Amino acid sequence: NMHYILMSSIELADWESFGAPLTGSLKGYDNNISISVTGQPIFNAIASTGKFENFTLSGEVNGGGFVANLNQGSIKNVTITVQSSTSSPSLVNGGYEFDGNLYAGAIVGINEGSIGAEDGEVRIEGVTVDIATGDNLSYAGMFAGSNSGAISYTYGEFYIFDQTESGNDVINTITAAYVGGFVGSLTGGSITHSYVFNYTFDENGTFTANALN
């Protein structure tokens, strides 16, 4: 198993996922390492021995999620935020197809490993997840489309601004046939020490935070 440390921030344009699963580790040197991704998820899969840590991600991904389509390993100390060039939400679309269904989340499409840890929180701040239904059943959540693993110490934020004549200006959304605040489908596993909030600012600047389940 190979282990890598990324020393500086990078941009992955027209990216095609690594074909082989991550069996070792990829870590940012510190908490200031960012990866801007346009294209496919960074990895197609993270194996049970794989570790992905210490990154801030943004951009537009066509697939299951920014990190991978399938996670069987460990993902922690990761933040996904708005695109730095436009301040518009980062985007996940298309989904990851498995057994005829589509799965998508900001982190991964299907989680069978762990996302987040007490010593490495995972945060989602301003991300849109949008997968078409079509002839497929589709499942989408802020962190994963489907979860049978462990999600813990994760925090997600939606933003809605009521500052236009037409009403709410929704900044980020999740769209699929089946949608959840954390995951679209919970097939086992656990979700602990986590929250998802819907933040609203009205035209008078009044702030409201509503918890989602």
Side-chain angles (χ1 to χ4, degrees), residues 7 16 22 27 39 41 45 55 92-93 99 102 109 140 157-158 172 193 201 206:
M7 301 299 293
E16 295 184 4
L22 175 66
K27 302 180 180 182
F55 292 106
V92 176
N93 61 23
D99 282 349
L102 293 173
E157 299 175 355
F158 289 94
N172 58 300
H193 301 94
F201 296 86
T206 302

Side-chain angles (χ1 to χ4, degrees), residues 102 104 131 133 137-141 145 174-180 183-185:
L102 293 173
I131 52 177
T133 54
L137 289 178
S138 56
Y139 302 85
I174 297 178
T175 304
Y178 297 93
V179 170
V183 298
S185 173

Side-chain angles (χ1 to χ4, degrees), residues 6 8-15 34-38 58 84-85:
L6 189 62
S8 59
S9 300
I10 60 173
E11 179 178 350
L12 303 177
D14 298 321
W15 179 251
S34 64
I35 303 177
S36 174
V37 187
T38 303
S58 64
S84 59
S85 59

Side-chain angles (χ1 to χ4, degrees), residues 123-149:
R123 295 182 175 271
I124 312 297
E125 303 169 350
V127 177
T128 286
V129 180
D130 187 355
I131 52 177
T133 54
D135 296 329
N136 303 84
L137 289 178
S138 56
Y139 302 85
M142 182 163 277
F143 296 93
S146 175
N147 178 62
S148 59

Side-chain angles (χ1 to χ4, degrees), residues 15-177:
W15 179 251
E16 295 184 4
S17 302
F18 285 111
L22 175 66
T23 57
S25 64
L26 177 62
K27 302 180 180 182
Y29 176 71
D30 57 28
N31 294 333
N32 296 317
I33 302 299
S34 64
I35 303 177
S36 174
V37 187
T38 303
Q40 298 177 354
I42 297 173
F43 295 94
N44 180 51
I46 297 177
S48 59
T49 55
K51 297 179 180 180
F52 184 88
E53 302 175 8
N54 305 343
F55 292 106
T56 296
L57 309 177
S58 64
E60 296 187 3
V61 167
N62 189 297
F66 272 88
V67 180
N69 286 317
L70 170 65
N71 175 49
Q72 297 176 323
S74 169
I75 298 170
K76 67 180 185 179
N77 199 22
V78 171
T79 297
I80 301 182
T81 187
V82 298
Q83 301 183 57
S84 59
S85 59
T86 63
S87 295
S88 60
S90 288
L91 174 65
V92 176
N93 61 23
Y96 168 54
E97 184 172 352
F98 180 77
D99 282 349
N101 300 326
L102 293 173
Y103 300 91
I107 301 294
V108 297
I110 296 177
N111 180 54
E112 298 176 352
S114 65
I115 297 175
E118 187 172 5
D119 63 344
E121 301 170 350
V122 171
R123 295 182 175 271
I124 312 297
E125 303 169 350
V127 177
T128 286
V129 180
D130 187 355
I131 52 177
T133 54
D135 296 329
N136 303 84
L137 289 178
S138 56
Y139 302 85
M142 182 163 277
F143 296 93
S146 175
N147 178 62
S148 59
I151 296 177
S152 62
Y153 297 94
T154 59
Y155 310 103
E157 299 175 355
F158 289 94
Y159 298 98
I160 298 177
F161 295 86
D162 189 6
Q163 297 178 329
T164 65
E165 294 181 0
S166 60
N168 286 338
D169 180 13
V170 179
I171 302 303
N172 58 300
T173 59
I174 297 178
T175 304

